[in-house]
Amino acid sequence: MIFRNADERDIKRIMEMICQAQEDLKSQGVDQWQAGYPNEEIVQEDIRRRENFVMEQNGEIVATVVFSFEKEPSYENIYDGKWQSEDPYAVIHRIAVDRSKKKNGVATEMLEEIIKKCHENKILSIRIDTHRDNHIMQSWIAKNHFSYCGVIYLKSDGTARNAYERRL
């Protein structure tokens, strides 16, 4: 598989996977990624900032993730817990895997690529958050050795998210 920065040509495929994820979350009763988020404008901005990545398998995009070394404003305050470290960290957002590729280790392989980039940049911590009802994502987070740290509130709309960190 190939892990690479997304570009403008990838937007349609990225949006297809995001729409699948939105449908899946809705069918599970999870109020995350609903009401038009994330949308094409957000994906375009992620690509412009060079923070959107895709995983290709046999020339087909099978997953997408946003990952950054920029501080996440929503992580400034954490409640009912604490971060494992105050060192610089990477942030993972907006993971989506094509429905036909789920449970095949694609998201974990993307995480392995992110970890490589963290090591290259001397970053020893990764943070991620998810909706409290998104049990599938929480399971993936636990399986990949992230520890629950507490609750954060998104700067964008004030909603609560479970926050996790993995020390590398």
Side-chain angles (χ1 to χ4, degrees):
M1 284 207 242
I2 298 169
F3 184 70
R4 64 169 177 82
N5 277 96
D7 63 42
E8 294 286 324
R9 296 170 297 184
D10 302 324
I11 292 173
K12 182 179 182 221
R13 180 68 180 124
I14 291 167
M15 289 307 302
E16 287 171 1
M17 292 183 295
I18 286 172
C19 287
Q20 287 177 4
Q22 289 168 327
E23 291 168 6
D24 291 346
L25 288 166
K26 185 175 183 177
S27 73
Q28 296 161 22
V30 180
D31 185 27
Q32 182 179 9
W33 283 22
Q34 303 302 302
Y37 175 88
N39 59 36
E40 192 170 315
E41 289 174 10
I42 290 168
V43 171
Q44 287 173 335
E45 181 62 18
D46 292 338
I47 290 171
R48 187 192 65 73
R49 287 193 323 267
R50 301 196 46 78
E51 294 177 352
N52 190 289
F53 292 79
V54 293
M55 183 67 86
E56 282 186 7
Q57 183 178 45
N58 301 321
E60 178 190 4
I61 295 172
V62 296
T64 182
V65 64
V66 172
F67 132 78
S68 171
F69 294 120
E70 298 295 318
K71 284 191 170 194
E72 170 57 54
S74 297
Y75 293 174
E76 289 174 10
N77 298 306
I78 188 164
Y79 303 89
D80 300 323
K82 66 177 188 165
W83 294 113
Q84 294 178 339
S85 164
E86 292 305 316
D87 295 334
Y89 57 88
V91 179
I92 295 175
H93 290 300
R94 297 189 276 287
I95 296 174
V97 177
D98 184 86
R99 237 182 233 138
S100 70
K101 302 298 179 185
K102 286 189 176 177
K103 300 189 189 241
N104 289 333
V106 175
T108 297
E109 194 164 334
M110 281 196 309
L111 176 60
E112 290 168 6
E113 293 294 331
I114 289 169
I115 290 169
K116 286 179 193 173
K117 291 188 178 298
C118 287
H119 286 305
E120 290 168 7
N121 288 277
K122 297 181 177 30
I123 300 294
L124 300 176
S125 181
I126 302 174
R127 294 180 182 178
I128 190 169
D129 66 83
T130 193
H131 193 283
R132 68 175 177 248
D133 295 334
N134 191 341
H135 301 295
I136 291 173
M137 183 55 125
Q138 289 172 26
S139 175
W140 180 84
I141 287 169
K143 180 182 108 182
N144 284 284
H145 313 291
F146 285 84
S147 297
Y148 176 79
C149 293
V151 176
I152 58 100
Y153 291 88
L154 300 179
K155 295 279 186 195
S156 59
D157 64 7
T159 58
R161 294 287 185 262
N162 290 353
Y164 305 83
E165 185 169 11
R166 176 175 169 177
R167 297 287 294 154
L168 304 177

